[in-house]
Amino acid sequence: MKVLYYPGCSLKTVAESFERSAKLAMAALGVELVELERWNCCGTVSALTTDDLMHQLAPIRNLIRVQEAGEERLVTLCAMCYNTLKRADLWVAQHPEELAKINAFLDEEPDYRGKVRVLHLLELLRDELGFATVKERVVRPLTGLRVIPYYGCLLLRPREVGLDSAENPRILEDLIVALGAEPVDTPYKTQCCGSYHTTTHKEIVAKRAHAILSSAREHGGEVLISSCPLCSFNLDNRQRLVRELYDGFAPVPVLYFTELLGLALGLDPQAWISEQHYVDPRPLLEEHQLLKR
Amino acid sequence: METVRIYIMGKEYSVPAGLTVMKAMEYAGYKFIRGAGCRAGFCGACGTVYRKEDEYKLRFAVACQKLVEDGMYLVQLPFAPAPRASYDLEKIRPSDNVLLKFYPEIARCVACNTCTKSCPQEIQVMDYIQAALRGDIRRVAELSFDCIQCGLCSMRCPADIKHYHVAQLARRLYGKYLAPKAEHLAQRVAEIEQGKFNAELDRLTRMERKELTKLYEARQIEEGVGV
Amino acid sequence: MLELSSKELQRAVEELSGQKVFACYQCGKCSASCPFAAEMDLTPRQVLEYIMDGRVEVLNSNTIWICASCFSCMARCPNGIDISKVMEALRQLLLRSGRDQLDLLKIPEADLKEIPQIAFIAGARKLIG
Ligand code: SF4
Ligand code: SF4
Ligand code: SF4
Ligand code: SF4
Ligand code: SF4
Ligand code: SF4
Ligand code: FES
């Protein structure tokens, strides 16, 4: 099966391990991720004021590209891209008169007809392949690995674009179980990491990261999984600052959920793990004998 | 003589058809002190903005190339205020974030495509800014190859981006670090340094002018290359 | 501060956010849900209170800049008020009158090197007019 997918800027740079592991793992499941042509940055955050058409242009232009490719659905990996693209799509569906304005402005493009469905890769795994199928394909069950599922904000909120319950999501837990690992519940799994404050208020981000990661450790978690390059940066790279600010903090490796998937499917993690991880996950993977093929 | 009506900063002139905007303005009595350079469409000094009487669209051209049309409302844009970031090409590397580091305003692009619509060179300007954002230096260099740095895109961008400087940095990085090195060039440079051509050069510099002219005229000319 | 009367503030916020601010009955669920409440000088509930009271000094509060649009508050408001949109409306009122909160050229070099694009892009949209 071929699926059109939208990488987003960060997957081409700081989060290459996300893209690489996703492509390899999906290929092992028989799904080829085909990159959308001429995509542009979605804008990362949604326009939230009623009159802000300008910031709807970027996501809508991407949906026009999907239309041009003759497809009706677009799969995203980054949670922020997912949210932004999906919200924009929903917004123009609810505001046809605003869509008409956007189409008139984008006069160099064909009109957007509102027929594209934005999906997150997790939804594709759950709803189209099915976690039962994923489980059958597991060749190296991650037995004994205690994984903290971290949702953050944008996979779940607002409700109308969330891919699972905003209060009690299960999708990451179900994936973790399908891979043979053990999900670890923490009250922080749907709490914000501090997002773009990492540009101006690092200490706020460090405080969030400290709370989220310490709670994960207390509940026995060994590794945290994320689906967003910004969550990962804030929870992984910012651990340097967390260690400076908080005594006795024990580091926690952070992986993308696709890396975990790849491991369970028996892939060699050297194909994607890079220096981009701040807390080196390799010792933990070694300990669980997951590094060897 | 066939004439057309044009408006230069609001004042009507009747000028011969078939002139370029630049020549037409000179015909009308304007003198270019700034805003003209090569007069051949390469230097980008003569950015022009115009609207036609019967159109709402604002249009963009270089004055030395665009021919006048009846009912053009014209203004020259000889300079775009866009200081270049300072960097030492020897000290920077073509990393993912280098363009963002020197021109962080590219993070503000809203993908409105106004830049592309303003470019007289028909470059996909938005696409190269988008490539810059995701650190794809090679693609920026390729897409912006024909940029003449007229600055029209930068005057129109709602995100205050200085496109042509971003593109120039990308092309410089590409040329220095990413473009495949031509082996024959390196070889030739080595030969020159070893003095392989010294004797011949010596002979040429001593030659009489007449003799030199004869030699020049008899030189080998590659087929298909015009003189 | 922007020269706004109480009425103008209320109208501008309702128009820009599309939210019925006066539906708020001050239960405080939004504040309880906000992971940044400790960093804020006014809690989200108080922001609503200030707007309903027409107190324009709400625009001086650091709350509107600390809010990271995480949507926890709006997911729990019993009256269906999207507080994150109210916060955005307040930010936009200031940003549209030229009060930028982020100078991209002043981000330290070390950060410029490692912070992901995604953060710059989001920051630029949220903090620059
Ligand atoms: S959200 Fe990101 S990674 Fe996603 S496209 Fe937009 S900027 Fe880039
Ligand atoms: S947790 Fe942080 S980066 Fe992740 S979705 Fe929320 S704001 Fe975004
Ligand atoms: S004009 Fe500016 S904001 Fe619009 S697409 Fe071009 S670079 Fe982006
Ligand atoms: S890219 Fe910009 S500066 Fe370069 S030629 Fe086009 S409009 Fe002029
Ligand atoms: S949760 Fe809703 S009703 Fe309660 S204080 Fe907040 S805005 Fe008002
Ligand atoms: S959206 Fe803003 S106010 Fe609401 S909970 Fe999140 S940070 Fe707090
Ligand atoms: S004068 Fe150089 S491009 Fe027109």
Side-chain angles (χ1 to χ4, degrees):
Chain A
M1 172 169 53
K2 284 190 181 189
V3 177
L4 198 60
Y5 104 99
Y6 176 85
C9 326
S10 301
L11 267 67
K12 294 294 175 187
T13 52
V14 290
E16 278 173 336
S17 51
F18 195 5
E19 180 177 50
R20 272 193 233 137
S21 56
K23 279 190 166 172
L24 291 169
M26 292 315 287
L29 291 170
V31 178
E32 187 192 343
L33 295 177
V34 181
E35 182 169 335
L36 178 68
E37 280 194 34
R38 279 191 74 199
W39 58 270
N40 54 263
C41 168
C42 64
T44 77
V45 286
S46 293
L48 293 179
T49 49
T50 49
D51 60 352
D52 187 5
L53 295 192
M54 179 85 103
H55 291 105
Q56 305 286 3
L57 297 178
I60 297 302
R61 197 186 289 281
N62 282 315
L63 301 180
I64 293 173
R65 296 275 174 268
V66 179
Q67 209 175 265
E68 282 177 332
E71 293 282 340
E72 298 212 326
R73 70 175 172 185
L74 181 67
V75 168
T76 59
L77 292 173
C78 161
M80 288 183 97
C81 304
Y82 165 73
N83 197 283
T84 308
L85 291 165
K86 192 156 177 181
R87 275 193 96 166
D89 194 31
L90 195 70
W91 189 80
V92 295
Q94 290 163 347
H95 299 87
E97 61 307 333
E98 305 295 345
L99 176 58
K101 284 187 211 161
I102 290 172
N103 278 333
F105 179 81
L106 298 176
D107 58 359
E108 74 279 24
E109 308 280 4
D111 282 358
Y112 179 53
R113 294 188 301 269
K115 290 271 169 5
V116 176
R117 208 157 52 94
V118 179
L119 283 181
H120 191 271
L121 186 65
L122 283 167
E123 290 176 289
L124 189 84
L125 287 167
R126 178 189 60 190
D127 305 334
E128 294 194 31
L129 287 169
F131 287 147
T133 313
V134 173
K135 187 175 175 183
E136 281 167 22
R137 302 286 186 85
V138 167
V139 298
R140 183 165 55 188
L142 309 176
T143 319
L145 188 67
R146 294 189 305 276
V147 183
I148 310 122
Y150 179 69
Y151 291 88
C153 321
L154 298 176
L155 290 178
L156 303 175
R157 298 186 293 269
R159 274 201 181 81
E160 67 260 30
V161 297
L163 49 71
D164 202 346
S165 149
E167 297 292 347
N168 286 306
R170 292 272 342 143
I171 188 165
L172 282 174
E173 280 85 343
D174 290 346
L175 175 67
I176 292 167
V177 169
L179 303 182
E182 191 189 315
V184 175
D185 203 15
T186 92
Y188 287 91
K189 66 182 177 191
T190 64
Q191 282 204 11
C192 183
C193 68
S195 188
Y196 57 86
H197 286 322
T198 215
T199 56
T200 47
H201 291 91
K202 297 189 255 211
E203 349 59 66
I204 294 187
V205 171
K207 190 172 167 190
R208 299 301 313 146
H210 179 249
I212 294 164
L213 295 165
S214 310
S215 154
R217 268 273 184 252
E218 276 160 31
H219 288 79
E222 295 174 292
V223 56
L224 179 142
I225 55 168
S226 114
S227 64
C228 166
L230 186 51
C231 302
S232 286
F233 178 82
N234 285 345
L235 295 179
D236 183 12
N237 302 59
R238 286 288 180 227
Q239 285 189 44
R240 191 189 308 143
L241 186 61
V242 175
R243 277 156 102 168
E244 283 168 26
L245 297 176
Y246 300 88
D247 283 342
F249 171 76
V252 181
V254 176
L255 292 176
Y256 293 105
F257 72 93
T258 49
E259 297 182 89
L260 209 65
L261 180 61
L263 283 168
L265 294 173
L267 303 175
D268 178 4
Q270 306 299 344
W272 67 77
I273 287 193
S274 69
E275 303 312 313
Q276 289 174 341
H277 291 284
Y278 171 70
V279 179
D280 191 348
R282 281 169 288 204
L284 176 73
L285 300 179
E286 187 78 70
E287 195 184 303
H288 285 270
Q289 282 157 22
L290 294 170
L291 274 187
K292 282 181 236 83
R293 291 211 64 149
Chain B
M1 182 177 62
E2 196 194 329
T3 61
V4 295
R5 282 166 311 116
I6 60 169
Y7 300 84
I8 303 171
M9 289 185 278
K11 186 163 160 30
E12 185 178 334
Y13 296 91
S14 170
V15 299
L19 293 185
T20 63
V21 166
M22 184 173 276
K23 291 213 173 104
M25 287 181 68
E26 285 171 334
Y27 179 91
Y30 284 83
K31 192 171 160 196
F32 284 85
I33 296 168
R34 294 226 49 180
C38 66
R39 293 179 178 257
F42 287 112
C43 74
C46 61
T48 292
V49 182
Y50 66 93
R51 260 198 181 93
K52 303 280 295 291
E53 269 168 343
D54 51 355
E55 287 183 352
Y56 67 86
K57 288 237 155 193
L58 199 58
R59 298 198 183 270
F60 307 86
V62 279
C64 67
Q65 297 299 299
K66 180 72 193 168
L67 299 185
V68 282
E69 291 166 21
D70 200 45
M72 256 182 174
Y73 278 75
L74 290 159
V75 72
Q76 291 305 106
L77 209 70
F79 177 73
R84 188 173 64 76
S86 77
Y87 45 79
D88 180 348
L89 208 55
E90 298 292 334
K91 294 206 183 108
I92 58 177
R93 288 288 171 274
S95 60
D96 288 342
N97 259 13
V98 64
L99 299 175
L100 197 64
K101 181 176 157 224
F102 286 105
Y103 298 106
E105 63 273 16
I106 60 177
R108 302 186 62 216
C109 172
V110 294
C112 67
N113 213 22
T114 307
C115 47
T116 303
K117 293 180 189 170
S118 320
C119 180
Q121 294 290 91
E122 294 182 3
I123 291 169
Q124 289 179 348
V125 189
M126 176 184 86
D127 293 62
Y128 83 57
I129 291 299
Q130 285 293 326
L133 198 50
R134 68 186 78 139
D136 193 344
I137 293 171
R138 180 185 305 272
R139 181 129 181 93
V140 183
E142 284 166 4
L143 283 175
S144 71
F145 186 78
D146 288 327
C147 171
I148 56 173
Q149 320 232 60
C150 66
L152 288 168
C153 51
S154 306
M155 290 302 283
R156 291 276 285 158
C157 174
D160 311 314
I161 290 166
K162 299 176 283 190
H163 313 67
Y164 56 103
H165 286 324
V166 178
Q168 186 187 55
L169 175 54
R171 287 194 306 276
R172 286 177 169 168
L173 287 163
Y174 178 73
K176 185 160 175 64
Y177 297 107
L178 302 173
K181 297 278 173 276
E183 277 174 33
H184 61 281
L185 181 67
Q187 208 181 335
R188 180 56 53 89
V189 170
E191 284 172 1
I192 292 170
E193 278 167 357
Q194 283 158 16
K196 185 173 174 185
F197 302 101
N198 286 359
E200 208 174 335
L201 204 62
D202 227 34
R203 191 172 71 86
L204 280 173
T205 46
R206 278 171 220 279
M207 237 178 231
E208 290 295 320
R209 191 194 171 99
K210 238 169 104 187
E211 224 180 324
L212 204 58
T213 315
K214 223 165 95 192
L215 198 64
Y216 177 75
E217 276 163 2
R219 78 193 186 283
Q220 222 180 342
I221 293 170
E222 242 178 276
E223 226 172 293
V225 176
V227 189
Chain C
M1 207 195 305
L2 275 178
E3 299 283 328
L4 285 181
S5 70
S6 303
K7 279 267 167 314
E8 283 165 342
L9 172 77
Q10 290 163 343
R11 228 182 94 186
V13 169
E14 289 206 323
E15 269 179 21
L16 283 172
S17 69
Q19 302 303 304
K20 294 194 173 63
V21 184
F22 288 92
C24 170
Y25 55 35
Q26 292 286 296
C27 68
K29 263 200 163 197
C30 46
S31 306
S33 312
C34 179
F36 301 98
E39 270 72 42
M40 295 170 166
D41 51 13
L42 296 180
T43 63
R45 179 196 62 75
Q46 283 176 304
V47 167
L48 272 291
E49 182 189 348
Y50 271 50
I51 297 169
M52 288 192 289
D53 288 349
R55 295 172 68 177
V56 287
E57 61 269 32
V58 69
L59 289 165
N60 286 339
S61 149
N62 77 355
T63 301
I64 55 187
W65 305 113
I66 299 289
C67 164
S69 301
C70 76
F71 310 119
S72 298
C73 49
M74 55 84 74
R76 291 189 183 154
C77 173
N79 290 322
I81 301 170
D82 190 337
I83 299 109
S84 55
K85 285 186 174 167
V86 172
M87 297 288 184
E88 181 97 337
L90 295 169
R91 281 191 291 269
Q92 284 296 322
L93 274 175
L94 291 163
L95 293 176
R96 290 179 190 186
S97 57
R99 289 152 171 89
D100 286 358
Q101 301 293 311
L102 169 64
D103 183 346
L104 287 169
L105 298 180
K106 297 225 169 91
I107 296 177
E109 174 141 0
D111 282 345
L112 276 175
K113 259 195 209 134
E114 65 165 11
I115 293 179
Q117 284 90 337
I118 190 169
F120 283 119
I121 298 162
R125 291 200 171 193
K126 288 291 188 181
L127 305 172
I128 303 176

